[in-house]
Amino acid sequence: GVDARRDEAPSGVAELHPPSALGRLLPRGDFVIVTAPETPQTQGMFAAKQFRAMKESAFFINIGRGATVVLDDLVSALLDGEIAGAGLDVFQVEPLPKDHPLWTAPGVLVTPHVAWSGPYLEERRAEVFLDNCVRFNEGRPLRNVVDKAHWF
């Protein structure tokens, strides 16, 4: 498979950094938005150390995978005022238990694992599927091939 990760910022992106830069970038962000896939490298990538590095006025948003965040550390960061709030669509444990402290934590918005949804989703899926059928028939490389070595 082809690795889709980029080394240079595409048009419209001011900066592009490798995952190793996360520690020095977190203190800059007003909003930290996680869209990372779950891989052995991303599991628990946001824990107490990362939340402490964020601004107290910052908001943490996870629309990627729940396993990227240590849930207890996020709860502590919120309740201790280390971060201002969170928008969460995914959780380390799903469904989020009815008695979980995130349901009542201040500054937290919980959505029911729907961040993947958007306009034209079905049309885009169908377009890729049909294009891949043609490519397969012609012996050309397919689009959006999962690289199982990278987990995505």
Side-chain angles (χ1 to χ4, degrees):
V2 176
D3 189 341
R5 292 173 291 187
R6 299 172 176 259
D7 293 322
E8 296 181 18
S11 175
V13 174
E15 300 176 28
L16 184 65
H17 300 276
S20 60
L22 184 62
R24 69 179 168 79
L25 295 171
L26 285 174
R28 292 175 46 190
D30 294 314
F31 293 87
V32 174
I33 304 171
V34 183
T35 62
E38 179 184 347
T39 70
Q41 293 76 32
T42 63
Q43 290 172 346
M45 71 185 284
F46 282 91
K49 178 181 177 182
Q50 289 72 32
F51 295 123
R52 279 193 299 273
M54 292 172 61
K55 297 178 186 178
E56 288 184 3
S57 59
F59 288 83
F60 179 79
I61 299 169
N62 189 5
I63 58 172
R65 293 289 181 235
T68 61
V69 179
V70 178
L71 210 50
D72 289 343
D73 291 355
L74 173 60
V75 170
S76 293
L78 288 161
L79 297 180
D80 294 344
E82 291 177 352
I83 61 174
L88 305 167
D89 189 57
V90 293
F91 306 92
Q92 193 176 29
V93 175
E94 289 189 4
L96 191 63
K98 287 190 284 187
D99 60 346
H100 198 278
L102 283 174
W103 289 114
T104 57
V108 175
L109 173 65
V110 173
T111 55
H113 206 139
V114 294
W116 59 269
S117 182
Y120 316 111
L121 180 65
E122 295 304 321
E123 292 87 344
R124 291 192 310 253
R125 284 181 177 163
E127 187 272 325
V128 170
F129 176 77
L130 293 173
D131 184 44
N132 273 343
C133 287
V134 171
R135 288 168 176 260
F136 180 81
N137 192 46
E138 294 174 355
R140 293 189 291 134
L142 302 179
R143 292 169 50 197
N144 295 358
V145 175
V146 172
D147 180 347
K148 291 182 181 181
H150 287 109
W151 286 41
F152 62 90

